Amino acid sequence: MMKSSNTRANNLEVVRQWALKQFSLGHSSIHGPDHWEKVYENGVMLAGKTSGADVLVVKLFSLLHDCRRENNHYDPDHGRRAAENLEQINEELLHLSDDQLALLEQACAGHADGFTSSNPTIGCCWDADRLELPRAGIKPKARFLSTAAARKLI
Ligand SMILES: [Fe+2]
Ligand SMILES: [Fe+2]
């Protein structure tokens, strides 16, 4: 049991290193690794309170969703770019089932489009990111949150 959870943790670190290699905006970027870490913590917390959420997909979202950003400002397609690579790296790095991969692709592709989702996994991903909007001076609004757990926090 212990061994398998360590293996998963090590694998997440390998994914994080891969994401850092893709990321061109530097460690201090507002969309960089410090932000990924906060989204990870938010996502684990929300997934623990959201029935049916797949916490592994949420963790991977946190590490990957912003790694293909090309600037720190207006980059509306950065989520779709992040989603483009996932199928290629699944076998070697992510080890997701087809259903999990599809969820991660949808969560990454659509995370910056301003929608909510009734899917618990995608909802936790998007809310974990939106709870970090205050870093950009934006207050999260309940109507842009998907999960009850996140709405309770604002
Ligand atoms: Fe983003
Ligand atoms: Fe983000």
Side-chain angles (χ1 to χ4, degrees):
M1 189 69 177
M2 197 64 190
K3 187 160 184 262
S4 82
S5 82
N6 281 343
T7 304
R8 273 203 298 278
N10 292 341
N11 188 55
L12 286 170
E13 180 53 26
V14 174
V15 173
R16 201 179 77 87
Q17 293 299 331
W18 181 89
L20 280 171
K21 272 194 206 136
Q22 314 305 306
F23 189 63
S24 62
L25 302 177
H27 272 69
S28 60
S29 162
I30 191 169
H31 304 290
D34 291 351
H35 166 63
W36 308 348
E37 184 67 33
K38 290 188 179 118
V39 175
Y40 184 100
E41 288 166 13
N42 290 342
V44 170
M45 179 265 297
L46 293 174
K49 297 176 179 180
T50 303
S51 168
D54 185 328
V55 71
L56 177 59
V57 172
V58 176
K59 287 175 176 177
L60 289 168
F61 170 87
S62 74
L63 300 173
L64 294 163
H65 73 287
D66 280 340
C67 77
R68 300 283 312 282
R69 251 191 182 272
E70 293 177 351
N71 67 63
N72 284 315
H73 314 290
Y74 184 70
D75 185 358
D77 290 322
H78 70 278
R80 280 171 278 282
R81 281 197 300 277
E84 274 171 12
N85 293 114
L86 300 176
E87 193 175 342
Q88 290 162 333
I89 64 169
N90 189 37
E91 196 174 335
E92 199 178 330
L93 275 185
L94 306 180
H95 314 295
L96 297 176
S97 69
D98 290 350
D99 287 351
Q100 287 176 310
L101 179 63
L103 284 172
L104 183 59
E105 285 172 337
Q106 285 176 50
C108 286
H111 84 268
D113 294 340
F115 297 121
T116 57
S117 174
S118 58
N119 178 281
T121 302
I122 296 174
C124 285
C125 291
W126 291 354
D127 286 0
D129 193 33
R130 283 174 202 167
L131 287 176
E132 288 306 306
L133 283 172
R135 78 193 192 286
I138 300 166
K139 190 177 176 323
K141 294 191 178 77
R143 71 175 184 278
F144 294 122
L145 293 172
S146 302
T147 66
R151 285 193 294 270
K152 272 188 201 145
L153 293 172
I154 63 162

